[in-house]
Amino acid sequence: MSTIIVEKKGGIHVIKLNRPEVLNSFNREMSLALQDTLKEAGADDSCRVIVLSATGRAFCAGQDLSEAISPDGPGIKKIVEEHYNPIITLIRETPKPVLGMISGVAAGAGCNIALACDITFAAEEANFIQAFSRIGLVPDSGGTFFLPRLVGMQRAAAFMFSGQKVSAKEAAEIGMIFSCESASKLEEKVMEYAAQLADMPTMAFAYTKKLLNLSMHNDLAGQLKEEGKYQELSSQTSDHHEGVMSFLEKRRAVFTGK
Ligand code: T3D
């Protein structure tokens, strides 16, 4: 059985982690397959939004600990450098919006992958656990980069030191994720949202995403300069022309993502 399932629905690629018997914890095969799938979706012009999701009751329990301790396994250095770092870089650098659809627990690297998505939705039943301290490790997969920026240093430190469960409701209230939904409505809400974004100007989203990434470490002067550069690039897209013409002609814009 494939460790990653891809369902293509219109301009939306739904990518599902698929090792439900171990709560979709990552082994090398699934890590590399996720990287390939993210690369494909990023390069495919027909894909305008990516939804990252999972099968079974969990989103992802992080690293498969059996593989982590196996003498025949890749070892911790490769696990971080060849599995998680490229996944996080791909999520941030793919020129498509990545929506996280988190239906159950997201722990360890699974939690930080959920936080690296552009917009994360979770079911009420889901929870987020910085599980690393429970096994004597430090957070990886960008957790120490994203979490303090999302919720502040105090909460990030508390969640990381304690390894406590943060409910989806609390996560949404404190800005750690975008939205908490009832389990029965999660998929419908995310797919509705994705469909809306898939009909919008994809190139402008790609440039917006670049700007948001840059804002993580730029000063205001540097960021204003980058905004000028990407605004000029956006103004050269067909979708910008279509957006302006549709406004002037008082009709609905038809964006092609170009
Ligand atoms: O080399 C390195 O390690 C570096 C990489 C680090 C990145 C990381 O992600 S480190 C963090 C690794 N993850 C964890 O420590 C989380 C481990 N899992 C849990 O703490 C719990 O499973 C959960 C809190 C996530 C969920 O608890 P619960 O009670 O809902 O489920 P469960 O009964 O613990 O798990 C169900 C099954 O999944 C169970 O197998 P079984 O008994 O039915 O045969 C369990 O062993 C398996 N499972 C869950 N998490 C993992 C796992 N198997 C392997 N690795 C896992 N991470």
Side-chain angles (χ1 to χ4, degrees), residues 19-26 57-58 60-69 74-80 83-84 105-112 127 129-135 137-141 165:
R19 301 184 74 225
E21 67 288 356
V22 283
L23 305 189
N24 301 310
S25 55
F26 274 95
R57 71 176 172 93
C60 172
Q63 172 59 32
D64 183 320
L65 295 174
S66 308
E67 181 188 73
I69 58 150
I76 199 154
K77 191 169 157 60
K78 276 193 175 177
I79 288 175
V80 174
H83 300 183
Y84 298 115
V105 65
C111 179
N112 291 334
N127 46 64
I129 311 174
Q130 293 290 328
F132 307 88
S133 62
R134 296 181 178 189
I135 55 167
L137 290 180
V138 302
D140 58 22
S141 306
K165 272 187 189 174

Side-chain angles (χ1 to χ4, degrees), residues 231-246:
Q231 195 63 293
E232 200 176 344
L233 288 171
S234 300
S235 74
Q236 292 159 10
T237 61
S238 314
D239 281 343
H240 168 60
H241 180 74
E242 167 64 7
V244 174
M245 292 315 290
S246 65

Side-chain angles (χ1 to χ4, degrees), residues 99-104 119-128 167-173 177-194 196:
L99 308 187
M101 179 159 72
I102 314 302
S103 53
I119 305 176
T120 301
F121 296 76
E124 265 166 1
E125 291 70 12
N127 46 64
F128 296 84
S167 70
K169 186 169 176 285
E170 182 182 359
E173 279 166 5
I177 61 167
F178 175 60
S179 176
C180 169
E181 307 288 344
S182 71
S184 60
K185 288 270 186 281
L186 178 70
E187 186 167 355
E188 188 186 323
K189 290 261 173 156
V190 175
M191 292 310 288
E192 256 176 39
Y193 202 94
Q196 201 185 323

